[in-house]
């Protein structure tokens, strides 16, 4: 414990020193400028992949950090220094047991992109297909392990120093981050995620997921179909190609909605470097290292939240939080509803360009603290991607609220999944699950009574009599239950 404290304290000192050395402590003094933003970008690069990830996440949030800092941090997405060509060939040979020239018909040694975790090279397969080859950075696992250990320690220290922070579940947040990074550091997981997303969205118009080539994919190397398109942040090229930015916003919002609500599986790293506009005006996405999942319960909760905000039904919006157990029962639903109205009402119907999201977030944190609302780690990844997607939407057209685009879809989904029919389906599913196990329960009861009759188990005579009566009632109720369940099934699935 002492060694851990000393090691992480030294690491924290180094972090602060690097920030000061690069004049990147502008949040303590002075106004942010492009020059100071570049200083921060340089400091994050020196701090390593974990901190570069942080910079990538906030680079699309110009409303939070300012245009100058956001512009400077975009360099983190494309201009991270590449690792040497010799190491690239050593990794490929080590993964496939033969040199690069025996695997690919051609291989461009100059990287197409150098990101915080891996870098990408364009290549051609023996059959002529053009691909992108993603290769993990060397020793990347050690870098992340060191930083994750630091984050756990900082969470411990923060919760010890300020017990009120315990409601944010900092340890669980770090654990979620660690799990996400662990998956991202095995490119086979990314390949599988791409395949699942492609299968889920194969019939969706205007959305494309490139093909994975499994014969050329391993733990540290991923080979995927090369995407030819316009980067979503190249607004001039998009307009020159005849595409309307607001139409692209609509497509992005609808695709995001379908992934989250229909599938419960979504691309969770939608920064501009991962989105391309195809020749037909559709969207293609790349980089499937960070994916999110939401179970049905959390999807329903999210639908209720979004529906409540969009319809301005603040009482039901507040009640959802209480019913889910996110706000303690001793707090007032009415007061919580008023608090939600107070922070939401001023922004409803306004242009995104007129909304101070930073101010709104500050108000939300104040409300959360006042009502002892606990953080929900399972929703943090979704929230992060909503911020990224909104950032892309603002960049394409700051006058469009992309969440209002999907309001009708949310309402339809809510009616289907929150109405009487949905509740009947849920109860019928539970009933049939119980029905499936009932014969086994009956057999166990019969076996137990047989043992009692044979003298294998000694019970009082009155107990035996009551068990026999309960057995008879159990058989009778089971038949009633079975027929009733079949009737419910017929009503739900066959009656229109």
């Amino acid at each position: 414990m002492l060694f851990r404290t000393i090691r992480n304290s030294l690491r924290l000192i180094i972090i602060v020193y690097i920030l000061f050395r690069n004049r990147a402590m502008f949040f303590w003094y002075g106004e942010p400028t492009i020059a100071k933003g570049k200083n921060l970008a340089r400091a994050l690069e020196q701090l390593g992949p974990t901190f570069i990830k942080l910079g990538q996440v906030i680079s699309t949030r110009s409303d939070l950090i300012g245009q100058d800092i956001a512009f400077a941090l975009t360099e983190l997405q494309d201009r991270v220094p590449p690792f040497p060509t010799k190491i690239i060939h050593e990794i490929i040979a080590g993964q496939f047991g033969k040199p690069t020239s025996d695997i690919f018909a051609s291989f461009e040694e100059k990287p197409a992109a150098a990101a915080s975790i891996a870098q990408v090279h364009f290549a051609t397969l023996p059959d002529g297909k053009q691909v992108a080859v993603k290769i993990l950075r060397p020793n990347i696992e050690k870098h992340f392990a060191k930083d994750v250990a630091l984050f756990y320690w900082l969470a411990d220290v923060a919760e010890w120093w300020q017990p009120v922070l315990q409601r944010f579940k900092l340890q669980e947040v770090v654990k979620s981050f660690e799990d996400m990074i662990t998956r991202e550091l095995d490119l086979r997981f990314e390949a599988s995620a791409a395949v699942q997303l492609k299968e889920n969205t194969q019939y969706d118009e205007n959305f494309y997921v490139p093909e994975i080539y499994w014969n050329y994919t391993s733990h540290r190397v991923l080979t995927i179909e090369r995407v030819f398109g316009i980067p979503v942040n190249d607004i001039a090229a998009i307009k020159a190609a005849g595409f309307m930015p607001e139409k692209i916003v609509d497509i992005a919002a609808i695709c995001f909605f379908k992934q989250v609500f229909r599938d419960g599986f979504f691309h969770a790293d939608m920064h501009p470097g991962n989105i391309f506009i195809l020749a037909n005006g559709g969207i293609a996405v790349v980089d499937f290292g960070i994916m999110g999942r939401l179970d049905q319960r959390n999807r329903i909760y999210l639908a209720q939240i979004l529906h409540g905000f969009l319809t301005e039904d603040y009482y039901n919006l507040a009640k959802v939080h209480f019913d889910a157990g996110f706000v303690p029962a001793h707090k007032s639903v009415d007061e919580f509803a008023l608090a939600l109205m107070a922070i939401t009402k001023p922004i409803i119907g306004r242009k995104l360009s007129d909304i101070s999201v930073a101010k709104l977030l500050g108000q939300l944190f104040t409300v959360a603290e006042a009502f002892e609302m606990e953080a929900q780690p399972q929703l943090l990844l979704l929230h992060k991607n909503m911020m990224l997607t909104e950032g892309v939407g603002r960049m394409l057209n700051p006058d469009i609220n992309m969440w209002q685009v999907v309001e009708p879809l949310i309402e339809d989904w809510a009616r289907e999944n929150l109405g009487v029919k949905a509740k009947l389906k849920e109860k019928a599913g539970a009933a049939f699950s119980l029905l499936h196990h009932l014969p086994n329960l009956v057999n166990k009861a019969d076996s137990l009574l047989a043992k009692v009759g044979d003298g294998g188990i000694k019970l009082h005579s009155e107990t035996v009599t009551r068990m026999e009566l309960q057995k008879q009632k159990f058989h009778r109720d089971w038949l009633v239950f079975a027929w009733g369940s079949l009737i419910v099934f017929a009503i739900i699935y066959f009656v229109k």
Side-chain angles (χ1 to χ4, degrees):
M1 182 67 178
L2 179 60
F3 175 75
R4 177 193 180 206
T5 301
I6 295 174
R7 181 189 62 201
N8 287 312
S9 296
L10 291 174
R11 174 71 171 146
L12 186 59
I13 291 171
I14 292 172
I15 291 171
V16 174
Y17 169 73
I18 290 175
L19 290 172
F20 269 110
R21 187 181 65 184
N22 287 279
R23 301 176 182 237
M25 299 291 283
F26 56 83
F27 43 85
W28 276 7
Y29 58 88
E31 290 294 323
T33 63
I34 290 181
K36 291 179 179 179
K38 290 183 177 181
N39 291 344
L40 177 59
R42 185 169 60 250
L44 292 174
E45 288 179 8
Q46 294 174 15
L47 287 170
T50 311
F51 297 89
I52 291 175
K53 277 289 180 186
L54 176 63
Q56 289 175 340
V57 169
I58 65 175
S59 66
T60 61
R61 299 301 296 173
S62 59
D63 53 331
L64 295 178
I65 60 177
Q67 292 284 352
D68 292 339
I69 302 300
F71 177 78
L73 290 182
T74 56
E75 297 182 358
L76 286 169
Q77 294 175 353
D78 301 307
R79 303 180 186 177
V80 178
F83 51 90
T85 302
K86 178 183 177 182
I87 295 178
I88 293 170
H89 294 304
E90 288 177 354
I91 291 174
I92 292 175
Q95 293 291 292
F96 299 108
K98 49 187 176 181
T100 306
S101 58
D102 289 352
I103 300 172
F104 301 101
S106 66
F107 187 90
E108 296 182 14
E109 296 194 344
K110 182 180 179 181
S116 57
I117 286 181
Q119 64 187 43
V120 176
H121 295 255
F122 293 140
T124 305
L125 296 179
D127 62 3
K129 292 177 180 175
Q130 297 188 65
V131 296
V133 183
K134 185 174 184 177
I135 306 165
L136 283 184
R137 286 183 171 272
N139 301 316
I140 189 68
E141 294 88 350
K142 293 181 180 179
H143 287 293
F144 272 107
K146 180 173 63 175
D147 288 332
V148 167
L150 173 66
F151 294 159
Y152 273 120
W153 178 74
L154 288 174
D156 278 338
V157 171
E159 291 181 353
W160 168 80
W161 182 51
Q162 290 289 340
V164 69
L165 296 177
Q166 292 177 5
R167 66 185 177 85
F168 290 108
K169 301 180 181 179
L170 298 180
Q171 291 288 331
E172 291 186 32
V173 172
V174 177
K175 181 63 168 63
S176 298
F177 178 77
E178 181 182 24
D179 291 342
M180 179 186 71
I181 293 299
T182 299
R183 290 190 297 270
E184 195 170 356
L185 294 181
D186 187 336
L187 295 180
R188 292 169 298 186
F189 284 100
E190 179 174 346
S192 297
V195 170
Q196 182 174 347
L197 185 65
K198 188 174 183 65
E199 291 176 351
N200 290 348
T201 61
Q202 59 183 314
Y203 300 114
D204 293 349
E205 294 183 2
N206 301 316
F207 187 79
Y208 185 73
V209 177
E211 193 78 31
I212 293 292
Y213 297 100
W214 284 102
N215 290 339
Y216 307 93
T217 295
S218 66
H219 176 194
R220 305 189 69 84
V221 177
L222 181 149
T223 302
I224 189 170
E225 175 188 357
R226 181 176 176 180
V227 171
F228 293 90
I230 304 171
V232 74
N233 57 355
D234 192 344
I235 309 299
I238 290 174
K239 291 181 177 179
F243 302 130
M244 300 175 63
E246 52 268 29
K247 176 63 176 177
I248 296 172
V249 173
D250 290 352
I251 293 172
I254 292 170
C255 291
F256 179 77
F257 166 84
K258 289 180 178 179
Q259 290 176 39
V260 172
F261 288 98
R262 182 192 63 192
D263 307 325
F265 183 73
F266 58 93
H267 193 299
D269 197 17
M270 295 284 280
H271 67 71
N274 288 338
I275 309 172
F276 296 87
I277 310 305
L278 301 175
N280 64 357
I283 290 175
V285 294
V286 298
D287 193 350
F288 308 93
I290 304 177
M291 307 295 291
R293 291 187 184 274
L294 280 183
D295 60 20
Q296 183 73 358
R297 176 178 176 272
N298 279 306
R299 277 182 268 172
I300 289 174
Y301 165 74
L302 180 63
Q304 291 173 319
I305 294 298
L306 292 177
H307 186 262
F309 273 122
L310 293 172
T311 60
E312 301 184 61
D313 188 347
Y314 299 107
Y315 180 81
N316 280 330
L317 181 60
K319 195 171 182 299
V320 165
H321 287 79
F322 280 81
D323 291 342
F326 297 159
V327 179
H330 67 270
K331 293 294 182 177
S332 168
V333 177
D334 292 325
E335 290 183 7
F336 189 52
L338 288 175
L340 291 174
M341 181 189 297
I343 64 174
T344 307
K345 199 71 173 175
I347 71 171
I348 292 295
R350 297 177 62 183
K351 295 179 181 179
L352 283 176
S353 56
D354 295 335
I355 296 172
S356 172
V357 179
K359 183 177 179 180
L360 175 62
L361 288 177
Q363 293 172 332
L364 282 172
F365 291 148
T366 301
V367 169
E369 182 176 0
F371 286 88
E372 303 174 20
M373 193 171 87
E374 293 187 348
Q376 301 303 311
Q378 74 276 15
L379 297 174
L380 290 178
L381 189 58
L382 173 68
H383 178 253
K384 168 224 167 187
N385 201 51
M386 289 178 72
M387 292 177 65
L388 288 173
T389 307
E390 183 184 285
V392 172
R394 288 173 63 94
M395 179 181 60
L396 289 166
N397 192 330
D399 295 332
I400 294 179
N401 188 328
M402 66 186 307
W403 307 121
Q404 290 180 342
V405 172
V406 298
E407 181 178 357
L409 300 178
I410 294 173
E411 290 179 346
D412 290 343
W413 191 90
R415 278 193 294 269
E416 178 67 23
N417 291 272
L418 303 179
V420 174
K421 184 177 180 180
K423 294 183 185 303
L424 283 174
K425 285 183 179 181
E426 181 181 354
K427 292 183 182 298
F432 277 99
S433 177
L434 180 58
L435 182 63
H436 175 74
H437 293 290
L438 271 175
N440 188 42
L441 294 174
V442 172
N443 290 334
K444 288 183 178 181
D446 286 341
S447 176
L448 177 60
L449 288 173
K451 288 182 179 180
V452 171
D454 294 338
I457 299 178
K458 301 296 183 182
L459 295 175
H460 193 277
S461 59
E462 292 182 3
T463 301
V464 175
T465 301
R466 284 199 301 269
M467 287 181 66
E468 184 63 37
L469 291 174
Q470 286 295 325
K471 174 190 171 183
Q472 294 172 7
K473 184 177 184 298
F474 189 76
H475 278 281
R476 183 174 65 252
D477 290 348
W478 181 81
L479 290 173
V480 173
F481 176 81
W483 280 108
S485 298
L486 289 174
I487 292 171
V488 171
F489 178 82
I491 292 173
I492 295 172
Y493 291 96
F494 296 105
V495 176
K496 300 294 184 181

